[in-house]
Amino acid sequence: MLVSDSLTSTLTRYYDAVPYDSHPFPQSAMEHLEALAFLFGLDTPPPAEASVLELGCAAGGNLIPFAARHPGARAVGVDLSTVQVAQGAAVIARAGLSNIELKAFDISEIDASFGQFDYIVCHGVYSWVPGPVQDAILRICAENLAPKGVAYVSYNVYPGWKAREIVRDAMILRGGPRDTPDEKLAYARGMLEFLEESARADSVLKKTLEETMPIVRSANSSYLLHEFLEPCNAPCYFKEFVARAEARGLAYLCDAEPSTMFVQNYGDKVRDPLLRECGGSQVLMEQYLDFLVNRTFRQTLLVRQARAVDIRYRMDPARIRALEVAGLFTAEGGAELALDASEQPCDAIRGLKVTLRLPIHKAVARLLEAAYPASMPVEKLIADAARLVGQPAAAVDQAAMSMLEELLILGALRFRRTPVPAAASVPGLPRALGAVRSAPGLAPAAGANANACNQWHEPVALTLLERSLLPLLDGTNSHDALAEHLEAEVRGDRLRFVKDDKPLTEPQAVKAFARQQVELALDALRRKALLVD
């Protein structure tokens, strides 16, 4: 069933007037989806040669970087907004990409003629469209998904959105009737400020506002307009979404953030009762956990129902050994990780805290920290760590593997099926990703603070100086040559060096400062995963 013409027109006008923020979403990266499927027992097509469909691609900020990384892949994006599709098409033309196409198209009209795809991505669409379009999304994920493919769908969920609906309804009451998006948002914010000042201290409304107002104050206008003031926003329970998918011949595989799936991350008081209560049902257990943490948003991976028998939620050591892993482990106080048996707390990715106890644990962490953002093969990581502590690999293998499994469950490791070839150190002739050199933003809106997409499919901010250097990072320019380029930019008044709040103009001072800035910028670009070996 198609959406009515009037509602389609309303949604189209809304997205044309309020473009959705179009940028990479790391959880939806095809390399990540491939690695997740592998971790839970399924082999999927390599992204480098895959066919990919993105539903609701906006201006292509999530899909274009994938196509740029993998010239052997084929990517198709569809979106209701002709304005955003045109923006994305202009970026594709500037980058010279021939393996990607964006189409202004009603999702509901996609049928078998579109063909089958190894990966289907639908981020930020499902909850924000009417019921018939939601059904069309799941139909496409079933009918247009290749036999060994994976579909990714994100959506708002209850129970967390029960409270947020109060805030949304209040914002729409005052902001909805206004004419322009800016007016809608201004009046909606005013409504929340009134309620925040007037709500009783012991009321449900007060507690809801305390939880939601930090989001409202910190989020950008595009997010707020689409999340709280858009014509459609229909959350559901996770169990309900899975049932809808199953009715279409699909099966739940996992969450794009797998650490949320493991009950042991929630403590013994939660783990033991839920394991008894849920009788081995992963879906039921995760639904209980959604209530426990008051979850508001999910990113679900789906596969064809026939593949469900091969899904395994218990970690397989053989599959862990076949992964590429990366991670950051910074000892508290900046101290070096000592290769002894003392306890040493560390800060890991995603703000996680881990405590390392055995020398082999610290050796693994030290190697990952030194290589980051590059990945390492698990087998090589263990062998190198064993040499670091002066023991045979066989003697420390079990302890190292147990550590890696715990870190994967906790969410303290990044992982892929194939190497992430980010530079582990800054080379003498630095080279950046080709797509970033030729079109640094790979996004419709460029500027001094535009983002680039790195090799982990993350948006990373670029300074003006970094943007000036990037086109030259093709592996042929030395550090001195790059510094001379910056000097020329300063002489041509295209770049300014400021030290102690004063512009530098004296040639020798500019020369010395340029060399210093080149080293700092190259190290920053390496840590942002934009340099390659």
Side-chain angles (χ1 to χ4, degrees):
M1 183 169 63
L2 303 183
V3 188
S4 69
D5 289 343
S6 61
L7 185 50
T8 300
S9 298
T10 299
L11 291 172
T12 301
R13 287 195 302 271
Y14 194 84
Y15 276 97
D16 284 346
V18 187
Y20 195 81
D21 196 10
S22 188
H23 59 76
F25 298 101
Q27 302 94 324
S28 74
M30 266 46 76
E31 300 92 334
H32 181 55
L33 306 187
E34 177 198 29
L36 283 169
F38 181 81
L39 188 67
F40 293 112
L42 302 182
D43 295 324
T44 56
E49 304 168 358
S51 55
V52 176
L53 172 65
E54 182 167 21
L55 306 175
C57 64
N62 189 44
L63 193 60
I64 295 172
F66 165 78
R69 283 197 304 275
H70 300 295
R74 178 177 68 93
V76 177
V78 298
D79 197 274
L80 205 56
S81 171
T82 56
V83 171
Q84 293 187 80
V85 167
Q87 290 173 342
V91 175
I92 291 168
R94 287 202 305 271
L97 300 175
S98 60
N99 62 336
I100 177 172
E101 179 184 10
L102 304 186
K103 300 180 179 183
F105 208 84
D106 185 341
I107 288 173
S108 300
E109 297 181 5
I110 293 176
D111 57 22
S113 66
F114 257 67
Q116 291 194 331
F117 297 86
D118 299 314
Y119 297 92
I120 297 176
V121 171
C122 185
H123 181 81
V125 180
Y126 185 85
S127 291
W128 299 267
V129 292
V133 183
Q134 291 183 342
D135 190 57
I137 289 169
L138 294 179
R139 172 182 57 77
I140 294 163
C141 288
E143 296 177 359
N144 296 86
L145 188 66
K148 291 188 175 181
V150 173
Y152 162 105
V153 183
S154 68
Y155 50 101
N156 286 337
V157 290
Y158 297 130
W161 253 92
K162 291 284 187 183
R164 289 194 185 181
E165 281 180 336
I166 298 173
V167 174
R168 170 174 154 82
D169 290 346
M171 293 175 75
I172 289 174
L173 175 65
R174 189 163 189 260
R178 309 301 162 180
D179 293 330
T180 68
D182 287 343
E183 283 181 319
K184 289 177 186 291
L185 191 54
Y187 275 84
R189 287 181 187 273
M191 177 66 161
L192 295 186
E193 289 168 2
F194 164 73
L195 293 176
E196 190 177 31
E197 292 175 0
S198 308
R200 295 198 316 271
D202 60 347
S203 66
V204 172
L205 175 61
K206 187 69 171 179
K207 181 172 177 56
T208 299
L209 290 169
E210 287 173 355
E211 293 174 353
T212 310
M213 286 304 291
I215 298 170
V216 173
R217 289 194 177 100
S218 63
N220 62 41
S221 297
S222 173
Y223 170 82
L224 293 174
L225 284 162
H226 285 290
E227 190 78 323
F228 290 95
L229 290 168
E230 192 170 304
C232 298
N233 190 338
C236 63
Y237 282 104
F238 168 59
K239 197 167 180 290
E240 179 184 2
F241 176 84
V242 172
R244 293 175 188 174
E246 288 176 345
R248 281 289 182 183
L250 296 164
Y252 173 66
L253 171 59
C254 63
D255 194 90
E257 294 187 16
S259 61
T260 63
M261 301 166 55
F262 294 102
V263 71
Q264 52 265 54
N265 286 335
Y266 299 85
D268 293 344
K269 288 184 178 179
V270 172
R271 182 191 61 192
D272 295 340
L274 281 192
L275 289 175
R276 289 193 302 268
E277 177 78 16
C278 297
S281 169
Q282 184 68 29
V283 170
L284 185 58
M285 185 160 61
E286 290 191 46
Q287 181 61 82
Y288 272 83
L289 292 174
D290 281 5
F291 276 101
L292 183 70
V293 300
N294 200 36
R295 191 162 180 171
T296 60
F297 184 69
R298 271 190 167 270
Q299 301 162 106
T300 292
L301 273 61
L302 301 167
V303 295
R304 289 191 174 209
Q305 189 67 52
R307 305 204 77 192
V309 295
D310 297 320
I311 298 171
R312 298 288 181 271
Y313 293 114
R314 185 180 293 276
M315 291 285 184
D316 179 354
R319 290 192 171 250
I320 294 177
R321 288 184 191 278
L323 293 174
E324 291 270 336
V325 294
L328 284 169
F329 297 91
T330 307
E332 288 188 356
E336 185 178 11
L337 289 170
L339 300 180
D340 57 25
S342 64
E343 289 192 356
Q344 199 157 10
C346 283
D347 294 319
I349 60 172
R350 300 173 62 236
L352 293 167
K353 304 282 187 181
V354 298
T355 300
L356 306 175
R357 295 179 175 84
L358 300 179
I360 187 62
H361 295 164
K362 297 174 184 179
V364 167
R366 186 189 287 187
L367 289 167
L368 289 171
E369 169 75 22
Y372 195 86
S375 65
M376 294 185 68
V378 166
E379 292 280 20
K380 183 180 187 303
L381 175 62
I382 294 174
D384 289 355
R387 282 193 289 273
L388 203 57
V389 297
Q391 296 187 52
V396 298
D397 184 86
Q398 184 175 353
M401 284 295 295
S402 295
M403 171 197 186
L404 293 174
E405 180 176 340
E406 288 180 18
L407 291 174
L408 284 169
I409 289 172
L410 185 62
L413 280 183
R414 291 181 157 182
F415 57 98
R416 291 286 193 262
R417 286 288 290 119
T418 53
V420 177
S425 60
V426 177
L429 298 174
R431 184 165 61 95
L433 288 166
V436 176
R437 288 200 313 272
S438 60
L442 280 184
N449 296 314
N451 289 341
C453 180
N454 71 9
Q455 295 183 86
W456 289 99
H457 201 67
E458 298 172 306
V460 289
L462 294 173
T463 66
L464 184 59
L465 190 145
E466 290 166 356
R467 287 176 62 80
S468 177
L469 290 176
L470 270 173
L472 303 179
L473 302 184
D474 59 1
T476 66
N477 291 297
S478 67
H479 293 209
D480 285 343
L482 296 171
E484 289 168 6
H485 166 73
L486 293 184
E487 291 178 60
E489 292 293 285
V490 172
R491 287 195 299 272
D493 205 27
R494 292 179 295 274
L495 194 67
R496 295 182 67 201
F497 285 162
V498 177
K499 187 175 183 180
D500 299 327
D501 295 327
K502 295 179 181 178
L504 293 180
T505 55
E506 196 277 319
Q508 284 303 115
V510 169
K511 183 183 184 73
F513 197 75
R515 274 149 181 74
Q516 179 191 54
Q517 292 306 304
V518 163
E519 300 308 318
L520 292 173
L522 290 175
D523 187 61
L525 289 170
R526 185 193 75 81
R527 294 299 280 187
K528 292 175 181 179
L530 292 174
L531 297 188
V532 295
D533 287 324

